[in-house]
Amino acid sequence: MDLVNALLAAIPPKPLPSPRTTAVVGAELRSLHAAGALDLPLPGGDRTAARWAALSAFGRRDLALARLAEGHTDAVAILAEAGHSPAPGALYGVWAAKSGGTGAVLDGGTLTGTVRFCSGLSLLERALVAAGDRLVEVDLAEPGVRRHPDAWQAVGMDASDSGDVVFDGVPGTLVGPPGWYVARPGFALGGVGVAAVWLGGAAGVLDGVLAYLRERGEADEHQLAHVGAMHTALSGTDAVLARAATSEVDALVAGTCRAAAERTAVEVLERALKVTGPTPACRDRRFAQRVADLPVYVRQHHAERDLAALGRTVLGAA
């Protein structure tokens, strides 16, 4: 499957109903799940490109929806890699952040502690939670799961149903042996899946820019130059992912894909507002939401810190 054709198709995807809310995103997520649209090919097979194209398409449509769709599909892939089956009909997330010294701890088969950046607080039935070097599957209906949506104050990704979760003696099922979660081959593949979503989000911003220019009916040479540069950046990163989909994805390949997608997102965001000025950012809610969502989501890439790690891997490989 050609990622370029899937991602940069002439017809943008159907937008979510407006105003976008957690309820709207949740309803669409469940509709996609019921229709089988979240049953993506597993990564690492001969249909990895199709998987990443689908994730990009989710991102191009809406990043809050894509964040939840990617989390569910990643969890299903992790369970498959571990030889486990997902609970029938359940929506999953992967909650693995260890921000600011927080994180879950596994003690005697139960989870305690606080995990930040958990998306799908009220929408998901189950989650894979990182606890030290273990991964644990948790039923989110357990009484010891306490949700704190008020911790999420961002305007960007505001409908992703995100926040903190406090675990208080919550039982869970181990998924894989100690250290397996990050050591498994699928860890790198999952990281590229996130990059595919970032790339789709950047394509969605370009969609908004093109819609603005078409509505105006004119574009000067400077605006056209920015559009050309954005298209080139998107196509270049798309080609990086397309090549990765046909190769063995290790830390070097995954780091390269993520860095390329992050750089493209940053460039598209910078150029988009130079083309449009403030008008659509102030008068077009969907465009404003796109340019607010993307910088929040793409900061899962740790900028120069991740680039330094990539450079270290490149030097070691050389």
Side-chain angles (χ1 to χ4, degrees):
M1 183 173 186
D2 189 334
L3 284 175
V4 173
N5 288 338
L7 177 59
L8 302 178
I11 302 175
K14 179 182 177 181
L16 294 182
S18 185
R20 185 190 75 172
T21 63
T22 296
V24 166
V25 169
E28 182 61 18
L29 184 71
R30 293 205 175 277
S31 176
L32 292 171
H33 191 211
L38 302 184
D39 299 334
L40 305 186
L42 293 174
D46 59 2
R47 298 192 64 207
T48 300
R51 177 184 181 87
W52 291 346
L55 291 172
S56 289
F58 289 138
R60 186 182 178 196
R61 187 179 183 200
D62 183 86
L63 279 176
L65 175 66
R67 170 69 186 93
L68 298 171
E70 185 279 326
H72 172 80
T73 59
D74 188 38
V76 170
I78 292 168
L79 289 170
E81 196 170 0
H84 295 204
S85 297
L91 282 168
Y92 277 78
V94 180
W95 296 347
K98 298 177 182 177
S99 169
T102 63
V105 175
L106 185 64
D107 183 15
T110 62
L111 284 178
T112 59
T114 300
V115 181
R116 294 178 175 175
F117 301 106
C118 299
S119 295
L121 293 179
S122 65
L123 296 172
L124 306 180
E125 284 82 32
R126 303 184 76 85
L128 303 185
V129 181
D133 63 353
R134 300 291 189 100
L135 189 67
V136 182
E137 181 176 352
V138 174
D139 181 350
L140 298 178
E142 289 287 342
V145 179
R146 300 201 301 270
R147 300 161 176 83
H148 296 275
D150 55 309
W152 189 261
Q153 294 294 315
V155 174
M157 303 295 285
D158 62 342
S160 62
D161 194 29
S162 297
D164 294 358
V165 173
V166 176
F167 296 96
D168 185 8
V170 178
T173 302
L174 287 173
V175 180
W180 175 83
Y181 171 57
V182 297
R184 64 196 169 85
F187 186 77
L189 286 159
V192 183
V194 175
V197 178
W198 298 340
L199 186 59
V205 173
L206 179 56
D207 285 338
V209 171
L210 296 177
Y212 168 77
L213 292 175
R214 288 168 181 146
E215 185 175 345
R216 290 181 75 239
E218 60 179 353
D220 62 33
E221 292 300 302
H222 294 287
Q223 291 170 316
L224 292 172
H226 285 302
V227 168
M230 286 187 281
H231 173 81
T232 300
L234 286 162
S235 297
T237 298
D238 186 86
V240 170
L241 266 67
R243 180 177 178 182
T246 62
S247 65
E248 182 178 347
V249 177
D250 55 14
L252 177 57
V253 172
T256 302
C257 290
R258 287 171 66 87
E262 187 265 356
R263 183 183 62 185
T264 293
V266 170
E267 179 176 353
V268 167
L269 284 166
E270 180 182 8
R271 291 182 181 275
L273 293 179
K274 290 181 179 180
V275 173
T276 65
T279 299
C282 298
R283 301 179 65 86
D284 181 339
R285 176 57 65 98
R286 187 162 187 249
F287 181 79
Q289 194 67 67
R290 286 189 183 281
V291 298
D293 287 345
L294 185 56
V296 173
Y297 197 172
V298 81
R299 284 283 60 87
Q300 284 187 354
H301 188 275
H302 301 110
E304 284 73 15
R305 186 168 61 185
D306 281 358
L307 286 175
L310 177 60
R312 192 173 299 111
T313 303
V314 171
L315 181 60

PDB file of all heavy atoms in Angstrom, residues 82-103:
ATOM      1  N   ALA A  82       2.814 -10.945  22.896  1.00  0.00           N
ATOM      2  CA  ALA A  82       2.995 -11.706  24.135  1.00  0.00           C
ATOM      3  C   ALA A  82       2.228 -13.018  24.125  1.00  0.00           C
ATOM      4  O   ALA A  82       2.317 -13.798  25.084  1.00  0.00           O
ATOM      5  CB  ALA A  82       2.558 -10.869  25.332  1.00  0.00           C
ATOM      6  N   GLY A  83       1.457 -13.274  23.061  1.00  0.00           N
ATOM      7  CA  GLY A  83       0.664 -14.485  23.003  1.00  0.00           C
ATOM      8  C   GLY A  83      -0.632 -14.405  23.782  1.00  0.00           C
ATOM      9  O   GLY A  83      -1.231 -15.426  24.116  1.00  0.00           O
ATOM     10  N   HIS A  84      -1.106 -13.175  24.068  1.00  0.00           N
ATOM     11  CA  HIS A  84      -2.361 -12.968  24.793  1.00  0.00           C
ATOM     12  C   HIS A  84      -3.437 -12.486  23.825  1.00  0.00           C
ATOM     13  O   HIS A  84      -3.150 -11.914  22.780  1.00  0.00           O
ATOM     14  CB  HIS A  84      -2.193 -11.923  25.895  1.00  0.00           C
ATOM     15  CG  HIS A  84      -1.254 -12.344  26.979  1.00  0.00           C
ATOM     16  ND1 HIS A  84      -1.315 -11.832  28.254  1.00  0.00           N
ATOM     17  CD2 HIS A  84      -0.225 -13.224  27.006  1.00  0.00           C
ATOM     18  CE1 HIS A  84      -0.373 -12.352  29.008  1.00  0.00           C
ATOM     19  NE2 HIS A  84       0.313 -13.208  28.258  1.00  0.00           N
ATOM     20  N   SER A  85      -4.676 -12.677  24.213  1.00  0.00           N
ATOM     21  CA  SER A  85      -5.805 -12.163  23.441  1.00  0.00           C
ATOM     22  C   SER A  85      -6.450 -11.011  24.196  1.00  0.00           C
ATOM     23  O   SER A  85      -6.578 -11.067  25.426  1.00  0.00           O
ATOM     24  CB  SER A  85      -6.848 -13.260  23.211  1.00  0.00           C
ATOM     25  OG  SER A  85      -6.310 -14.312  22.450  1.00  0.00           O
ATOM     26  N   PRO A  86      -6.891  -9.966  23.498  1.00  0.00           N
ATOM     27  CA  PRO A  86      -7.581  -8.871  24.186  1.00  0.00           C
ATOM     28  C   PRO A  86      -8.956  -9.310  24.673  1.00  0.00           C
ATOM     29  O   PRO A  86      -9.560 -10.237  24.132  1.00  0.00           O
ATOM     30  CB  PRO A  86      -7.695  -7.793  23.105  1.00  0.00           C
ATOM     31  CG  PRO A  86      -7.635  -8.540  21.814  1.00  0.00           C
ATOM     32  CD  PRO A  86      -6.759  -9.732  22.050  1.00  0.00           C
ATOM     33  N   ALA A  87      -9.439  -8.649  25.711  1.00  0.00           N
ATOM     34  CA  ALA A  87     -10.784  -8.925  26.201  1.00  0.00           C
ATOM     35  C   ALA A  87     -11.794  -8.580  25.112  1.00  0.00           C
ATOM     36  O   ALA A  87     -11.701  -7.514  24.489  1.00  0.00           O
ATOM     37  CB  ALA A  87     -11.057  -8.110  27.459  1.00  0.00           C
ATOM     38  N   PRO A  88     -12.763  -9.451  24.841  1.00  0.00           N
ATOM     39  CA  PRO A  88     -13.713  -9.203  23.755  1.00  0.00           C
ATOM     40  C   PRO A  88     -14.444  -7.871  23.924  1.00  0.00           C
ATOM     41  O   PRO A  88     -14.980  -7.569  24.980  1.00  0.00           O
ATOM     42  CB  PRO A  88     -14.685 -10.385  23.870  1.00  0.00           C
ATOM     43  CG  PRO A  88     -13.909 -11.460  24.567  1.00  0.00           C
ATOM     44  CD  PRO A  88     -13.006 -10.737  25.525  1.00  0.00           C
ATOM     45  N   GLY A  89     -14.437  -7.089  22.852  1.00  0.00           N
ATOM     46  CA  GLY A  89     -15.191  -5.846  22.819  1.00  0.00           C
ATOM     47  C   GLY A  89     -14.580  -4.686  23.572  1.00  0.00           C
ATOM     48  O   GLY A  89     -15.112  -3.572  23.536  1.00  0.00           O
ATOM     49  N   ALA A  90     -13.454  -4.905  24.267  1.00  0.00           N
ATOM     50  CA  ALA A  90     -12.884  -3.853  25.111  1.00  0.00           C
ATOM     51  C   ALA A  90     -12.009  -2.893  24.301  1.00  0.00           C
ATOM     52  O   ALA A  90     -11.315  -3.299  23.375  1.00  0.00           O
ATOM     53  CB  ALA A  90     -12.052  -4.469  26.235  1.00  0.00           C
ATOM     54  N   LEU A  91     -12.065  -1.626  24.684  1.00  0.00           N
ATOM     55  CA  LEU A  91     -11.131  -0.631  24.175  1.00  0.00           C
ATOM     56  C   LEU A  91      -9.955  -0.533  25.147  1.00  0.00           C
ATOM     57  O   LEU A  91     -10.152  -0.465  26.363  1.00  0.00           O
ATOM     58  CB  LEU A  91     -11.812   0.730  24.037  1.00  0.00           C
ATOM     59  CG  LEU A  91     -12.719   0.902  22.822  1.00  0.00           C
ATOM     60  CD1 LEU A  91     -13.552   2.177  22.966  1.00  0.00           C
ATOM     61  CD2 LEU A  91     -11.907   0.940  21.533  1.00  0.00           C
ATOM     62  N   TYR A  92      -8.761  -0.495  24.588  1.00  0.00           N
ATOM     63  CA  TYR A  92      -7.534  -0.516  25.382  1.00  0.00           C
ATOM     64  C   TYR A  92      -6.739   0.777  25.224  1.00  0.00           C
ATOM     65  O   TYR A  92      -6.874   1.495  24.238  1.00  0.00           O
ATOM     66  CB  TYR A  92      -6.623  -1.656  24.916  1.00  0.00           C
ATOM     67  CG  TYR A  92      -6.932  -3.020  25.483  1.00  0.00           C
ATOM     68  CD1 TYR A  92      -7.983  -3.780  24.976  1.00  0.00           C
ATOM     69  CD2 TYR A  92      -6.152  -3.570  26.499  1.00  0.00           C
ATOM     70  CE1 TYR A  92      -8.250  -5.058  25.468  1.00  0.00           C
ATOM     71  CE2 TYR A  92      -6.415  -4.840  27.004  1.00  0.00           C
ATOM     72  CZ  TYR A  92      -7.460  -5.575  26.483  1.00  0.00           C
ATOM     73  OH  TYR A  92      -7.716  -6.831  26.981  1.00  0.00           O
ATOM     74  N   GLY A  93      -5.870   1.020  26.190  1.00  0.00           N
ATOM     75  CA  GLY A  93      -4.851   2.050  26.096  1.00  0.00           C
ATOM     76  C   GLY A  93      -3.539   1.492  26.595  1.00  0.00           C
ATOM     77  O   GLY A  93      -3.495   0.422  27.217  1.00  0.00           O
ATOM     78  N   VAL A  94      -2.457   2.217  26.319  1.00  0.00           N
ATOM     79  CA  VAL A  94      -1.140   1.883  26.858  1.00  0.00           C
ATOM     80  C   VAL A  94      -0.694   3.076  27.693  1.00  0.00           C
ATOM     81  O   VAL A  94      -0.471   4.156  27.150  1.00  0.00           O
ATOM     82  CB  VAL A  94      -0.117   1.590  25.744  1.00  0.00           C
ATOM     83  CG1 VAL A  94       1.244   1.237  26.358  1.00  0.00           C
ATOM     84  CG2 VAL A  94      -0.603   0.461  24.845  1.00  0.00           C
ATOM     85  N   TRP A  95      -0.587   2.878  28.983  1.00  0.00           N
ATOM     86  CA  TRP A  95      -0.227   3.946  29.921  1.00  0.00           C
ATOM     87  C   TRP A  95       1.152   3.632  30.495  1.00  0.00           C
ATOM     88  O   TRP A  95       1.280   2.817  31.411  1.00  0.00           O
ATOM     89  CB  TRP A  95      -1.270   4.059  31.034  1.00  0.00           C
ATOM     90  CG  TRP A  95      -2.638   4.458  30.530  1.00  0.00           C
ATOM     91  CD1 TRP A  95      -2.949   4.953  29.298  1.00  0.00           C
ATOM     92  CD2 TRP A  95      -3.877   4.414  31.256  1.00  0.00           C
ATOM     93  NE1 TRP A  95      -4.301   5.210  29.205  1.00  0.00           N
ATOM     94  CE2 TRP A  95      -4.898   4.894  30.386  1.00  0.00           C
ATOM     95  CE3 TRP A  95      -4.215   4.021  32.548  1.00  0.00           C
ATOM     96  CZ2 TRP A  95      -6.227   4.989  30.775  1.00  0.00           C
ATOM     97  CZ3 TRP A  95      -5.550   4.101  32.940  1.00  0.00           C
ATOM     98  CH2 TRP A  95      -6.537   4.587  32.064  1.00  0.00           C
ATOM     99  N   ALA A  96       2.165   4.278  29.953  1.00  0.00           N
ATOM    100  CA  ALA A  96       3.539   3.909  30.297  1.00  0.00           C
ATOM    101  C   ALA A  96       4.395   5.096  30.717  1.00  0.00           C
ATOM    102  O   ALA A  96       5.606   4.955  30.870  1.00  0.00           O
ATOM    103  CB  ALA A  96       4.194   3.194  29.117  1.00  0.00           C
ATOM    104  N   ALA A  97       3.796   6.274  30.906  1.00  0.00           N
ATOM    105  CA  ALA A  97       4.584   7.464  31.226  1.00  0.00           C
ATOM    106  C   ALA A  97       5.199   7.354  32.618  1.00  0.00           C
ATOM    107  O   ALA A  97       4.590   6.817  33.549  1.00  0.00           O
ATOM    108  CB  ALA A  97       3.703   8.709  31.147  1.00  0.00           C
ATOM    109  N   LYS A  98       6.416   7.880  32.720  1.00  0.00           N
ATOM    110  CA  LYS A  98       7.101   7.974  34.011  1.00  0.00           C
ATOM    111  C   LYS A  98       7.627   9.404  34.137  1.00  0.00           C
ATOM    112  O   LYS A  98       8.824   9.654  34.186  1.00  0.00           O
ATOM    113  CB  LYS A  98       8.227   6.944  34.095  1.00  0.00           C
ATOM    114  CG  LYS A  98       7.724   5.503  34.002  1.00  0.00           C
ATOM    115  CD  LYS A  98       8.857   4.495  34.009  1.00  0.00           C
ATOM    116  CE  LYS A  98       8.320   3.075  33.870  1.00  0.00           C
ATOM    117  NZ  LYS A  98       9.408   2.060  33.806  1.00  0.00           N
ATOM    118  N   SER A  99       6.681  10.318  34.162  1.00  0.00           N
ATOM    119  CA  SER A  99       6.985  11.747  34.121  1.00  0.00           C
ATOM    120  C   SER A  99       7.184  12.313  35.513  1.00  0.00           C
ATOM    121  O   SER A  99       6.410  12.039  36.440  1.00  0.00           O
ATOM    122  CB  SER A  99       5.830  12.489  33.434  1.00  0.00           C
ATOM    123  OG  SER A  99       5.943  13.882  33.584  1.00  0.00           O
ATOM    124  N   GLY A 100       8.221  13.124  35.665  1.00  0.00           N
ATOM    125  CA  GLY A 100       8.420  13.835  36.919  1.00  0.00           C
ATOM    126  C   GLY A 100       8.557  12.944  38.131  1.00  0.00           C
ATOM    127  O   GLY A 100       8.127  13.314  39.227  1.00  0.00           O
ATOM    128  N   GLY A 101       9.126  11.756  37.953  1.00  0.00           N
ATOM    129  CA  GLY A 101       9.307  10.848  39.075  1.00  0.00           C
ATOM    130  C   GLY A 101       8.078  10.027  39.422  1.00  0.00           C
ATOM    131  O   GLY A 101       8.106   9.268  40.395  1.00  0.00           O
ATOM    132  N   THR A 102       6.992  10.168  38.654  1.00  0.00           N
ATOM    133  CA  THR A 102       5.786   9.369  38.901  1.00  0.00           C
ATOM    134  C   THR A 102       5.894   8.034  38.180  1.00  0.00           C
ATOM    135  O   THR A 102       6.821   7.784  37.414  1.00  0.00           O
ATOM    136  CB  THR A 102       4.533  10.117  38.428  1.00  0.00           C
ATOM    137  OG1 THR A 102       4.622  10.320  37.008  1.00  0.00           O
ATOM    138  CG2 THR A 102       4.403  11.460  39.127  1.00  0.00           C
ATOM    139  N   GLY A 103       4.928   7.191  38.395  1.00  0.00           N
ATOM    140  CA  GLY A 103       4.887   5.900  37.729  1.00  0.00           C
ATOM    141  C   GLY A 103       4.270   4.862  38.632  1.00  0.00           C
ATOM    142  O   GLY A 103       4.218   5.018  39.852  1.00  0.00           O
TER     143      GLY A 103
END
